[in-house]
Amino acid sequence: MTALDLPSDLILVYTDEEVNDVAIHFRCGDILGGENRYDFDIVKFDEYKRQIFPEARIVGIATQPFDPDLMRPKDRSKAQNCKRLVLLLVDYLTNNFPNITVAIRNSANDTLPLTWARLIMANQTIISLSSFGIFPALGRLDKVIFKGFNVHIPGILNNTHLMDSPVLGSETAIRIGIDEIAKWVVEPRDVPVLCIMCKH
């Protein structure tokens, strides 16, 4: 088990589970093929490079299962697309942070309580636009980064920050298809790198 700043007197419920230094909630099922909406979206992967602190050792990605039998019926037809993007994100992170281990947290054993526990216990939590991610993220120890869908939270909680990233909305994602999505997420932005959690 590892984590950078966990209190020494903390009583752990999941004693055999790794604690992520960074927990990412990566929502993809209804973005890639379920909902024709404008308020669900994907961020460019360089946003993770900007935000993940360099001391991180374990990054866990909480996402939907890749096994169609474990998914909602409306998400099953896009299961392989979700897997493709998550594996692309794993490659992106390991290439940019050679000292980290990236773990995909989406097996049948990754229950709702365990997934929420990981989002709460991580030193840094990066969530997608989602009611699933926002509640455990609000209960975590410190250093939450929100996708910018609730601009009021950082004014109330000083451990929260808004991402500043270009986004690809679900309506556009459905229209352009997985090949263009995969190309878009890895294309960098032409702005200086700024990591609000890094030590300078």
Side-chain angles (χ1 to χ4, degrees), residues 34-128:
E35 302 293 337
N36 189 25
R37 294 174 55 164
Y38 293 91
D39 55 348
F40 295 161
D41 46 49
I42 299 172
V43 299
K44 280 187 174 290
F45 287 174
D46 70 350
E47 184 69 20
Y48 298 112
K49 183 171 68 174
R50 285 167 164 73
Q51 304 299 350
I52 292 174
F53 56 95
E55 298 87 358
R57 294 163 294 180
I58 298 177
V59 176
I61 301 174
T63 191
Q64 69 180 43
F66 298 150
D67 181 352
D69 292 337
L70 300 176
M71 298 169 62
R72 300 181 303 181
K74 70 177 182 178
D75 294 335
R76 289 173 184 166
S77 65
K78 302 297 181 181
Q80 290 305 307
N81 290 348
C82 183
K83 182 177 181 179
R84 177 177 171 181
L85 286 189
V86 173
L87 294 179
L88 192 62
L89 177 57
V90 171
D91 288 343
Y92 184 91
L93 294 175
T94 54
N95 287 334
N96 283 280
F97 298 91
N99 296 321
I100 67 169
T101 298
V102 181
I104 301 171
R105 313 291 195 184
N106 69 343
S107 73
N109 296 325
D110 290 302
T111 61
L112 174 60
L114 178 55
T115 300
W116 274 24
R118 287 195 174 115
L119 293 173
I120 293 170
M121 297 300 296
N123 288 277
Q124 186 180 45
T125 302
I126 303 175
I127 65 168
S128 303

Side-chain angles (χ1 to χ4, degrees), residues 114-170:
L114 178 55
T115 300
W116 274 24
R118 287 195 174 115
L119 293 173
I120 293 170
M121 297 300 296
N123 288 277
Q124 186 180 45
T125 302
I126 303 175
I127 65 168
S128 303
L129 169 50
S130 170
S131 56
F132 177 87
I134 190 171
F135 293 109
L138 287 174
R140 65 149 334 290
L141 299 174
D142 196 8
K143 304 174 184 173
V144 177
I145 300 175
F146 286 101
K147 171 69 188 64
F149 68 98
N150 193 329
V151 297
H152 304 294
I153 291 177
I156 300 170
L157 301 175
N158 62 9
N159 68 326
T160 65
H161 308 275
L162 292 178
M163 290 186 189
D164 181 19
S165 170
V167 296
L168 185 67
S170 55

